[in-house]
Amino acid sequence: MKKTLLNILKFLIYFSIGGFLMWYVYRNYDMQEIKATLNKGVNFWWLFLSMVIGLISHFSRTVRWQMLIEPIEKKTSVTNTFFAVMVGYFANLLIPRMGEISRCGVLSRYEKISVSRLIGTVVVERLMDVIMLLLCLLLTLALQFNVVTDFLFKNADLSKVTNIFTSVWTYVIIFGIVVLLRFLKKWFSKTSPYMKLKGLWAKFSEGFLAVKNVKNKPAFVFHTVFIWVMYFLMIYVCFFAFEFTSHLSPMAGLAAFVLGSLGMVAPVQGGMGPWHFMVISTLQMYGIAKNEGAAFALIVWSSINAMIVIMGIISMIILPIINRKKA
């Protein structure tokens, strides 16, 4: 009961933060003008294609996760693994970062394998994602350096954030946190909970180091790249759903995708607010009017997350059914 209430409280807190950020981003927009922009016509077939591409990327992530799990546990069922991934995405829309733990819990339940090892494999996945995001950012910088620098330093709202990284106090605070953590580590290592955590850490490490034992490394690399190509296409094909963005180049799509992905880092459901701000600001750099960019971000974000909600609910319904039949 306490755990349920705590999760509800977390959801309300994160949703309130996300709701505030959405209001903050859209506060100066005329919603009637955005509505009028949308009334000019939206080709929903392109949005549907974006959803299909998203599902393909999630299936590719499923296959890659199986590659990490197999060397340390066993080859998992494709259906269980895929539906666990979709439950994870759905859980992230409820409580940010909860999805990583949720999908491990779901797969552990139906495949009878170690949660700790699974968490280790998910950390490897997230590390791969960070590397791919950085590579995409470098590619965007290489191909469109002026666009990205204008976005970072000529955007009045974003310049407040970039100033944090040039402040001496930022690094003083980071140094203080590091010193405090080292002190706490010495104290904690002498307590009994530390020994229990040490055992869990051993299993976690097995999962984390599973990438060394992946049987088909070229396929692992292929899926890692393929997932992110699909992520890019999810955004780019949406340009053709609107007349005002249909002329934009793949380079504009890459910039919107990468900078929007940076907005997804914020601890709110589905990047609600920060993702919209980043995408709207990026489209402005390519000559798209603010109201048009706001309409694009609103519809595209809603369609992508609608797919996650639908598949998440379907996954939670189907998982018990197919595993009951197996039993």
Side-chain angles (χ1 to χ4, degrees):
M1 185 65 180
K2 284 184 179 179
K3 188 176 180 181
T4 303
L5 289 173
L6 183 61
N7 285 333
I8 291 172
L9 181 61
K10 285 180 181 177
F11 168 76
L12 292 173
I13 291 171
Y14 286 120
F15 187 77
S16 298
I17 294 170
F20 170 76
L21 292 174
M22 277 287 284
W23 168 82
Y24 187 80
V25 170
Y26 280 88
R27 72 194 189 284
N28 294 325
Y29 291 98
D30 186 333
M31 296 309 293
Q32 291 302 316
E33 286 188 28
I34 292 176
K35 187 177 178 181
T37 300
L38 294 174
N39 286 337
K40 293 176 183 176
V42 179
N43 190 330
F44 288 98
W45 285 110
W46 287 106
L47 298 178
F48 178 73
L49 177 61
S50 173
M51 293 181 186
V52 173
I53 291 170
L55 282 174
I56 293 170
S57 76
H58 300 328
F59 183 77
S60 182
R61 182 175 290 277
T62 297
V63 175
R64 188 182 69 172
W65 195 23
Q66 283 185 297
M67 290 181 184
L68 286 170
I69 296 168
E70 187 178 1
I72 57 166
E73 285 282 357
K74 63 178 182 179
K75 188 170 179 61
T76 57
S77 157
V78 175
T79 51
N80 281 341
T81 312
F82 175 73
F83 288 133
V85 168
M86 295 314 304
V87 169
Y89 277 112
F90 180 56
N92 271 336
L93 287 182
L94 298 176
I95 301 175
R97 308 296 172 258
M98 181 181 171
E100 283 73 11
I101 304 297
S102 296
R103 66 160 150 147
C104 292
V106 168
L107 195 60
S108 173
R109 176 183 176 185
Y110 292 113
E111 293 285 340
K112 305 296 186 288
I113 52 183
S114 166
V115 174
S116 300
R117 289 193 181 107
L118 287 176
I119 292 173
T121 61
V122 169
V123 171
V124 174
E125 276 209 308
R126 287 304 173 218
L127 181 60
M128 295 297 105
D129 289 338
V130 170
I131 290 170
M132 286 304 302
L133 177 57
L134 289 175
L135 288 175
C136 289
L137 182 58
L138 288 173
L139 180 63
T140 307
L141 280 169
L143 297 175
Q144 302 177 95
F145 182 78
N146 291 336
V147 173
V148 177
T149 52
D150 284 350
F151 176 85
L152 293 174
F153 299 107
K154 291 185 180 180
N155 188 304
D157 291 324
L158 200 62
S159 63
K160 297 172 185 176
V161 178
T162 55
N163 287 339
I164 294 173
F165 297 98
T166 58
S167 170
V168 175
W169 285 106
T170 300
Y171 299 99
V172 170
I173 292 169
I174 292 172
F175 177 75
I177 291 171
V178 170
V179 171
L180 180 62
L181 289 175
R182 285 183 67 86
F183 172 78
L184 290 174
K185 183 184 175 183
K186 278 187 177 181
W187 169 80
F188 186 64
S189 63
K190 298 174 183 177
T191 63
S192 58
Y194 174 79
M195 300 309 295
K196 293 179 181 178
L197 286 172
K198 198 172 179 181
L200 290 173
W201 175 257
K203 289 184 178 181
F204 169 83
S205 299
E206 283 184 56
F208 183 74
L209 297 172
V211 68
K212 294 194 305 181
N213 302 315
V214 169
K215 291 180 181 178
N216 192 340
K217 289 183 172 61
F220 182 83
V221 173
F222 167 79
H223 282 287
T224 298
V225 174
F226 182 76
I227 289 165
W228 281 77
V229 171
M230 292 296 102
Y231 283 174
F232 156 70
L233 289 175
M234 279 175 68
I235 300 299
Y236 180 60
V237 299
C238 290
F239 281 178
F240 301 103
F242 305 86
E243 186 179 345
F244 53 81
T245 54
S246 59
H247 67 284
L248 293 178
S249 69
M251 292 297 99
L254 180 64
F257 159 63
V258 171
L259 296 172
S261 296
L262 294 177
M264 295 292 287
V265 175
V268 288
Q269 288 93 333
M272 183 167 55
W275 185 88
H276 296 76
F277 167 74
M278 297 293 265
V279 170
I280 293 167
S281 299
T282 306
L283 292 177
Q284 280 184 266
M285 301 298 294
Y286 290 92
I288 303 301
K290 288 185 74 173
N291 280 326
E292 292 175 338
F296 175 90
L298 199 60
I299 294 297
V300 171
W301 183 86
S302 299
S303 66
I304 290 172
N305 285 287
M307 179 268 287
I308 290 173
V309 170
I310 293 167
M311 286 305 303
I313 292 172
I314 290 172
S315 299
M316 288 190 293
I317 293 170
I318 290 179
L319 272 168
I321 296 172
I322 60 175
N323 284 281
R324 191 184 305 131
K325 288 181 179 179
K326 289 178 183 178

